[in-house]
Amino acid sequence: MKKLTRLLLPAAIVAGLTACGTAESPLSESTVSAEQGNIRAHMEFLASDDLRGRQTGSPGHEIAAKYIVSEFKQLGLQPGGEDGTYFQRVPFRTSTLVPNSAVMQYTHDGETVEFEFGKEFITSPSHYSQLSEVTAPLVFVGYGMEAPQFGLDDYQGLDVEGKIVVMLTGRPANLPSEEGAHLANIKNDIAREKGAVGVITLHTPVREEVRKFETSVYYTKTPRMTWVGPNGLPKGEAEQLMGSAYLDDEPASRLFANAPASLESIFEQIQQDADFSPTGFPLEGAVKLVKESEHEQTTSPNVAAILPGSDEKLKDEYVVYTAHSDHIGEVKDMSSDDIINNGAMDNASGVSIMLETARMFVDSGIDNKRSIMFLSITAEEKGLLGADYFANNPTVPLNSIVANVNLDMPVLLYDFADVIAFGASHSTLGDTVTKAAQKYDTEQSPDPMPEQAIFTRSDHYTLVKKGIPAVFLMTGFTSRTEGEDGGEVWGEFFAEHYHRPSDDLKQHDINYEAGARFTNINFEIGKEIANADQRPQWLEDSYFGQQFQE
């Protein structure tokens, strides 16, 4: 297609660009290159104190969204939101547990024992009801997993219809990290599908070593958020799991009165063999769960823009870039008087790179065969909620999205020599990333921390679950600068600045040259996908491809 006409930049932004240079020329047919000054200007605005940390639903995040829309309009990109706009308004419900309302009682042989909230059990607010109450018999279901590929069928031979399932937190250690993390994420979904009316999750000694029960108690006063579907229901689903509780390991043993195996013996087997997966069985007695919740409604926008494709057959297919624009707002940090969590790396950097990538596509003059969507997402920090809303209420047909390239927290604090693409081992996008990186003398490295299962922990995961191949691009751990350890810089950022007020431009020495290189690679990835004859494919042995591709 023809090169789109761009509007003039505001004078304040132009002034910020004049002092900055550009990255090295790409080794490709494109002459366009990322501008360091553009990235700097975007980051200085998005991570400024004026936006107060871009909390979901806050005025600061609304300003950030309008800024992004303004940039898309200047580029001449078409609206990709709802009703001919750039916005997709996401309706949210925020739920808070009413103090002193949570009750958990266990009745067995005519005797009732009440567990103490905050010391023996905790629960989260209901998104469905102001008053939730359920009493039902119990069934122990081991880890509560169902995955024939890995020999797991924790519900085999068990009837949980109308009952409360009791399951261990975590998963067997022998599960692959990404697949295991996904299976752990869907435990409640499986229980719901099996007809359970409640879930009790048991804290374990293994979990205690990683995160103490008291730490979880601390978060019971924190409001929870979910999106509301067009039918007015949380995530568009009717309520079925009417009660939930997280029970500490010692009081949990009471639920196993006269059981085929004591909870202590199960814990001992797991500690002796981390791969051990206990067999489930019915438990005697019944549990009553009660809680009260307060609800508030709010909205926050996803922002979407489209660069139309030029090929008559492929223009209705989309490459989708994503970057979340929200952060965690204002939170007191004990080590500082600063309360604004600016989120410079998380994720002003990712949004800035996406905006500069969009500018490159417009200025490149390339007639891309497929259309390209640039999607700024809200509520990532609340549990990938904005992305999940889009995945379930897409503004373009879901089967027309061929791939997702996600930009979340590129750490632009060192002169990286490699990139990491979480998800690269699952689809042909891995080869695409390798080719793009090599054009800038950069290698693609394998996941350096597979135990973290990062592939399931950012916005792209919501589209993966809809069968769309995706990669989550991040700066690697090696550096071009002699004596600089990229992994050490990255690790120091997470230890000292992640989700803290110090993640701001005043305390970071941003490497904008590295940011421009990262943007150039990002551009090449999208260009390759947009113009390839074939859409990206899941690899035959990918668990996610096997599970989700149609």
Side-chain angles (χ1 to χ4, degrees):
M1 62 174 289
K2 293 183 179 179
K3 180 177 176 181
L4 298 178
T5 302
R6 298 183 60 219
L7 302 178
L8 293 176
L9 290 170
I13 296 180
V14 173
L17 304 183
T18 55
C20 303
T22 61
E24 64 264 42
S25 299
L27 305 176
S28 71
E29 70 276 11
S30 301
T31 57
V32 68
S33 187
E35 297 280 350
Q36 296 179 40
N38 291 349
I39 298 169
R40 178 194 290 268
H42 295 320
M43 288 188 66
E44 286 180 349
F45 183 84
L46 293 169
S48 68
D49 282 355
D50 293 335
L51 271 61
R52 312 301 294 182
R54 308 187 307 278
Q55 175 75 270
T56 303
S58 71
H61 183 261
E62 291 288 339
I63 293 169
K66 289 176 181 177
Y67 175 86
I68 294 164
V69 168
S70 176
E71 293 298 313
F72 286 156
K73 285 182 177 180
Q74 289 187 75
L75 293 172
L77 299 176
Q78 294 183 2
E82 296 174 334
D83 302 323
T85 73
Y86 293 90
F87 295 103
Q88 181 186 43
R89 277 274 159 198
V90 184
F92 290 110
R93 177 172 297 167
T94 300
S95 304
T96 306
L97 191 66
V98 174
N100 304 316
S101 71
V103 174
M104 180 177 179
Q105 296 175 341
Y106 173 56
T107 300
H108 177 253
D109 280 346
E111 294 187 6
T112 298
V113 176
E114 185 160 337
F115 296 96
E116 185 176 358
F117 179 78
K119 289 189 176 180
E120 297 181 312
F121 86 100
I122 57 175
T123 188
S124 56
S126 169
H127 291 307
Y128 293 90
S129 307
Q130 290 181 313
L131 175 62
S132 304
E133 183 173 346
V134 62
T135 301
L138 307 173
V139 179
F140 176 61
V141 293
Y143 282 107
M145 290 183 162
E146 193 173 53
Q149 311 91 315
F150 303 110
L152 290 174
D153 188 2
D154 291 341
Y155 287 86
Q156 184 176 13
L158 299 174
D159 177 16
V160 301
E161 184 78 31
K163 299 173 184 176
I164 296 173
V165 296
V166 178
M167 63 177 68
L168 304 174
T169 189
R171 58 188 187 266
N174 58 351
L175 285 176
S177 62
E178 293 176 350
E179 291 83 346
H182 167 72
L183 290 168
N185 287 341
I186 62 172
K187 285 183 178 187
N188 283 4
D189 296 331
I190 295 173
R192 185 183 298 110
E193 291 169 3
K194 299 291 183 180
V197 295
V199 173
I200 296 173
T201 304
L202 307 183
H203 192 65
T204 68
V206 172
R207 181 60 176 167
E208 180 72 9
E209 294 176 3
V210 178
R211 177 174 175 155
K212 294 185 178 300
F213 182 80
E214 289 79 4
T215 302
S216 299
V217 173
Y218 174 79
Y219 291 98
T220 58
K221 296 180 181 179
T222 303
R224 304 294 176 91
M225 180 177 279
T226 190
W227 58 264
V228 179
N231 60 1
L233 296 175
K235 290 196 172 183
E237 300 174 345
E239 181 179 23
Q240 182 178 322
L241 295 176
M242 295 178 286
S244 65
Y246 188 75
L247 188 58
D248 203 1
D249 53 356
E250 186 174 340
S253 61
R254 300 174 197 165
L255 304 183
F256 285 70
N258 301 324
S262 69
L263 186 58
E264 290 82 357
S265 67
I266 293 171
F267 288 159
E268 287 175 6
Q269 287 181 279
I270 292 172
Q271 288 178 309
Q272 292 171 6
D273 179 7
D275 297 340
F276 172 68
S277 182
T279 301
F281 42 77
L283 295 169
E284 295 183 4
V287 162
K288 179 179 181 179
L289 297 170
V290 182
K291 62 187 171 186
E292 295 180 46
S293 306
E294 295 178 339
H295 299 152
E296 293 183 0
Q297 314 301 322
T298 189
T299 67
S300 185
N302 291 331
V303 174
I306 294 171
L307 178 66
S310 62
D311 186 270
E312 196 62 34
K313 293 182 178 179
L314 299 179
K315 65 181 181 181
D316 292 329
E317 296 183 351
Y318 296 84
V319 182
V320 176
Y321 281 104
T322 51
H324 76 87
S325 53
D326 67 305
H327 194 50
I328 62 173
E330 298 178 64
V331 180
K332 175 66 178 174
D333 188 281
M334 299 304 294
S335 62
S336 168
D337 292 332
D338 190 358
I339 64 170
I340 300 174
N341 291 271
N342 303 80
M345 296 298 106
D346 187 15
N347 184 36
S349 61
V351 174
S352 299
I353 284 170
M354 184 177 72
L355 290 173
E356 179 61 359
T357 301
R359 195 277 306 171
M360 290 176 67
F361 271 105
V362 171
D363 284 357
S364 69
I366 298 172
D367 288 341
N368 296 289
K369 295 179 180 179
R370 292 182 175 86
S371 297
I372 302 171
M373 174 181 279
F374 302 93
L375 179 61
S376 167
I377 293 174
T378 188
E380 190 272 351
E381 301 288 4
K382 303 298 184 182
L384 319 184
L385 294 181
D388 194 50
Y389 185 86
F390 177 85
N392 285 278
N393 303 274
T395 59
V396 297
L398 200 62
N399 61 6
S400 70
I401 300 175
V402 304
N404 174 214
V405 181
N406 187 39
L407 303 163
D408 187 359
M409 211 163 53
V411 178
L412 307 179
L413 303 177
Y414 54 98
D415 196 20
F416 71 92
D418 64 328
V419 293
I420 298 158
F422 300 105
S425 62
H426 292 289
S427 75
T428 55
L429 290 174
D431 290 338
T432 303
V433 173
T434 296
K435 287 170 57 179
Q438 287 176 345
K439 289 183 179 180
Y440 294 89
D441 190 28
T442 301
E443 298 299 317
Q444 182 193 166
S445 295
D447 184 352
M449 41 190 173
E451 72 284 353
Q452 297 292 327
I454 291 178
F455 185 57
T456 65
R457 292 170 55 184
S458 191
D459 288 322
H460 63 281
Y461 176 51
T462 66
L463 289 173
V464 165
K465 290 188 289 184
K466 298 296 184 181
I468 298 168
V471 286
F472 167 16
L473 200 63
M474 191 187 85
T475 46
F477 284 3
T478 57
S479 174
R480 299 170 194 271
T481 302
E482 186 175 352
E484 182 179 56
D485 186 333
E488 184 176 311
V489 176
W490 194 93
E492 181 182 352
F493 166 78
F494 269 84
E496 303 295 332
H497 306 291
Y498 174 67
H499 280 199
R500 298 180 69 176
S502 56
D503 181 16
D504 66 12
L505 299 183
K506 297 187 291 290
Q507 299 186 60
H508 288 328
D509 184 13
I510 308 296
N511 189 321
Y512 289 106
E513 181 180 359
R517 184 186 308 115
F518 192 88
T519 308
N520 286 333
I521 294 169
N522 188 53
F523 168 75
E524 290 292 337
I525 293 169
K527 186 180 72 172
E528 174 73 20
I529 301 168
N531 294 287
D533 292 334
Q534 187 180 37
R535 61 196 291 166
Q537 302 292 311
W538 290 103
L539 299 182
E540 187 175 347
D541 61 351
S542 168
Y543 168 81
F544 294 96
Q546 294 167 1
Q547 287 294 110
F548 300 121
Q549 70 177 337
E550 295 183 357

